[in-house]
Amino acid sequence: MISKPWLAAVALALTSGPALADGACKGLADLRIESVNLHSAAEVPAAGDLPGYCRVLATLRPATSIEVRLPLRGWNGKLYQVGCGGFCGLLNSDAAGFTNAANFGLRRGYAAATMDGGHWGTSVVDGRWAMNNPVAQADWGTRSVTETARVAKVLVKAFYGEPQRKAYFAGCSTGGRMAAMEALRFPKDFDGIVAGAPALDYTGLVATSFAWVAKANTGPNGQPILSSAKLKRVAEAVTAACASGQDARIGLVADPRACGFSPAALRCQGPETPECLSEAEIGVIEKWYAGPSDAAGRRLYPGGIPKGSEVHWPRWLTGAGNAPPLLPLFARDFLRYMAFQPAAGPAFQVADFDFETDPARTAVMAPVYNAATFNPGTGKLTLAGDLSAFRQAGGKLLLYHGWADPLVVPGLTVAFYEALAEREGGYDRLRETARLFMVPGMDHCGIGTEGPGISDTGIDPLTALERWVEGGEAPESLVATKTAAPGGPVLWSRPVCPYPQVARHDGSGDPAAAASYTCAVP
């Protein structure tokens, strides 16, 4: 319900020029929107590369904090909403770059919206909010995104006097899962959706796969077996075994599935040195590459840590210096507070996870969290829905994932796209609605730029999606650009082709230039 006399001032502003009427922003705080507590609405002046905007803060009951930023001038007529990473819990409205960053849209003239996933947390690895809390779990799983979209659209219409022409959503990691869930379950919320590195099967990934990785690197004394000290040597060996030409020069493994490197090739032949691996270290890496399985050898999650991702392992898997690895922290709180019903509680340790019985125990939470669930018995995925309604609404879904992502490993994203293709009647049919771009060298959401790592702004999926949604121009490739530093000189570029196509060099052009490559089916 919306009924306030100040709305006349908004209508006057829209007919009198680009400047909105005095009080139009402040008046938004007096709106009445179902299930929403509006806390404040205030103008924020232009600063740096951000335009001036009306900042609206609200709580979507019971506990989802949201922020909507409405450009005071130059609105492009569209809404841009973003997801959040990890377990969320933070209203990260000023996130930098592209990943889950509302300001990326605001700079382009969008009305921009973000939220915290339905709860407060001390960090994105804090899962305590979820302990035996089904309402918060459901908000994080699905409700916070679709309800934020509802509220943001009400605010847009109230402020500008007309609804948005188009609505877009972009998210990476957990935000990527949210993006996929929107296309599958809430097909009319957004016209275009970007899903990056989507953690589609949260129960399989963060419980089973993360526990496998953490336990594989824990020795009998409880200490890590493999440290970051030897990872440079492992990365060099993988590149030497699996890359050639330009790829070898830049340390890029274009497709880890075609890489036959075995860590046993670095086995110490005498005393252990930084240049070789002990038997225990070889065992860790072999388990990481293989992915989780039970005692009978049955695969519990599709795909292990991708070869070519080794330069990113310190951040996620081994730690570096005094900084602990992040993957075990995600596993710890997920297993304690989120994976089981009832919750295991704070006494549960990752080491307690039983690969014979515990994966099945997470099944009760799969419908709450997962956009897709891997079935170890059949080796197939169960999807949270299909794209039929999204397709009928004219929606477009652009997925991307880094081939060098050691956190949300890329195997399940490929399996998800293949499952969609099977359901839609083949790749040609699916490509009308959804396209997947696998980015060589890219770390999780472009966070790591070590080695050949492409940053999150090294590709531009939003522009490609806009052209697809608004002009009918389906993306035939994205250009991945590697720079020496953010905003620095370009070192090389490469087209990223729609799956299952891959980039092939033309045989004569500059191997560091994207124009020298074409997309072809392997």
Side-chain angles (χ1 to χ4, degrees):
M1 177 179 176
I2 305 173
S3 59
K4 289 291 174 181
W6 64 267
L7 285 177
V10 176
L12 175 63
L14 290 166
T15 59
S16 62
L20 293 160
D22 291 342
C25 174
K26 184 178 180 181
L28 291 178
D30 295 326
L31 280 174
R32 292 177 61 190
I33 305 175
E34 183 181 355
S35 302
V36 175
N37 293 343
L38 286 155
H39 304 308
S40 65
E43 291 190 9
V44 177
D49 61 354
L50 290 180
Y53 60 90
C54 175
R55 182 190 189 210
V56 183
L57 294 172
T59 297
L60 174 63
R61 294 194 288 269
T64 299
S65 295
I66 66 174
E67 180 170 340
V68 180
R69 296 182 170 186
L70 305 157
L72 299 176
R73 292 174 175 81
W75 179 49
N76 66 9
K78 297 181 285 188
L79 171 66
Y80 183 72
Q81 183 176 324
V82 296
C84 47
F87 305 145
C88 302
L90 305 171
L91 191 60
N92 193 11
S93 306
D94 289 305
F98 173 70
T99 299
N100 300 324
N103 283 343
F104 189 87
L106 183 64
R107 292 185 187 95
R108 297 187 178 205
Y110 281 88
T114 187
M115 47 82 220
D116 65 359
H119 60 271
W120 178 86
T122 58
S123 73
V124 296
V125 298
D126 181 0
R128 292 172 296 175
W129 56 270
M131 185 169 177
N132 299 324
N133 189 345
V135 172
Q137 291 167 347
D139 280 351
W140 180 79
T142 56
R143 182 175 174 270
S144 62
V145 174
T146 186
E147 283 293 281
T148 298
R150 174 180 67 86
V151 175
K153 290 174 182 179
V154 170
L155 291 170
V156 163
K157 187 173 182 179
F159 191 57
Y160 297 112
E162 59 181 290
Q164 70 289 333
R165 291 185 291 105
K166 298 292 181 184
Y168 293 89
F169 182 89
C172 198
S173 194
T174 292
R177 175 191 62 80
M178 293 170 167
M181 196 76 84
E182 279 292 306
L184 297 173
R185 289 190 176 177
F186 305 98
K188 295 184 179 180
D189 282 354
F190 299 100
D191 302 284
I193 295 174
V194 177
L200 299 162
D201 181 353
Y202 229 90
T203 52
L205 175 73
V206 189
T208 304
S209 183
F210 282 14
W212 177 268
V213 171
K215 291 182 71 170
N217 196 33
T218 303
N221 60 357
Q223 297 301 307
I225 298 168
L226 178 69
S227 72
S228 61
K230 296 186 179 181
L231 298 187
K232 182 174 184 294
R233 179 70 186 99
V234 176
E236 292 172 344
V238 172
T239 300
C242 300
S244 60
Q246 167 74 358
D247 289 355
R249 287 190 290 273
I250 61 179
L252 181 68
V253 176
D255 186 343
R257 298 172 302 177
C259 179
F261 170 76
S262 171
L266 294 179
R267 178 181 283 110
C268 295
Q269 300 302 316
E272 185 178 342
T273 74
E275 297 299 308
C276 66
L277 298 174
S278 69
E279 289 296 335
E281 290 168 335
I282 290 171
V284 171
I285 299 175
E286 286 178 340
K287 287 183 178 179
W288 283 0
Y289 286 154
S293 59
D294 60 18
R298 185 179 61 163
R299 182 180 293 276
L300 298 177
Y301 189 82
I305 306 301
K307 295 170 183 175
S309 67
E310 295 78 14
V311 293
H312 307 304
W313 289 3
R315 177 179 297 102
W316 307 111
L317 309 185
T318 65
N322 293 325
L326 292 175
L327 180 148
L329 299 181
F330 281 115
R332 180 198 64 193
D333 271 29
F334 189 77
L335 292 173
R336 287 176 175 178
Y337 308 116
M338 301 174 69
F340 308 121
Q341 190 63 259
F348 192 91
Q349 302 296 321
V350 177
D352 298 330
F353 190 83
D354 187 330
F355 295 103
E356 304 305 310
T357 59
D358 284 339
R361 291 177 58 212
T362 68
V364 68
M365 300 309 301
V368 180
Y369 303 146
N370 295 354
T373 303
F374 180 71
N375 186 324
T378 64
K380 294 183 178 297
L381 295 183
T382 299
L383 306 184
D386 61 37
L387 292 178
S388 59
F390 187 64
R391 181 180 65 250
Q392 291 166 9
K396 305 299 180 185
L397 172 63
L398 192 157
L399 302 108
Y400 71 92
H401 204 141
W403 269 130
D405 185 342
L407 186 70
V408 179
V409 293
L412 193 130
T413 299
V414 172
F416 175 70
Y417 193 73
E418 291 172 343
L420 286 175
E422 182 177 354
R423 181 170 291 195
E424 291 289 308
Y427 287 123
D428 289 344
R429 172 72 165 161
L430 177 61
R431 280 162 53 90
E432 297 173 5
T433 303
R435 297 195 176 197
L436 168 64
F437 297 85
M438 300 300 298
V439 187
M442 183 179 248
D443 182 25
H444 182 59
C445 296
I447 291 174
T449 57
E450 306 88 355
I454 303 293
S455 76
D456 67 337
T457 55
I459 58 172
D460 186 3
L462 180 57
T463 296
L465 185 62
E466 289 170 327
R467 291 172 177 168
W468 195 7
V469 169
E470 298 168 34
E473 181 185 344
E476 297 302 329
S477 67
L478 303 179
V479 175
T481 302
K482 173 69 175 179
T483 59
V490 174
L491 300 179
W492 52 268
S493 62
R494 183 77 58 90
V496 183
C497 305
Y499 185 87
Q501 296 181 15
V502 296
R504 296 297 189 205
H505 187 251
D506 63 13
S508 59
D510 180 0
S516 302
Y517 295 80
T518 58
C519 292
V521 176

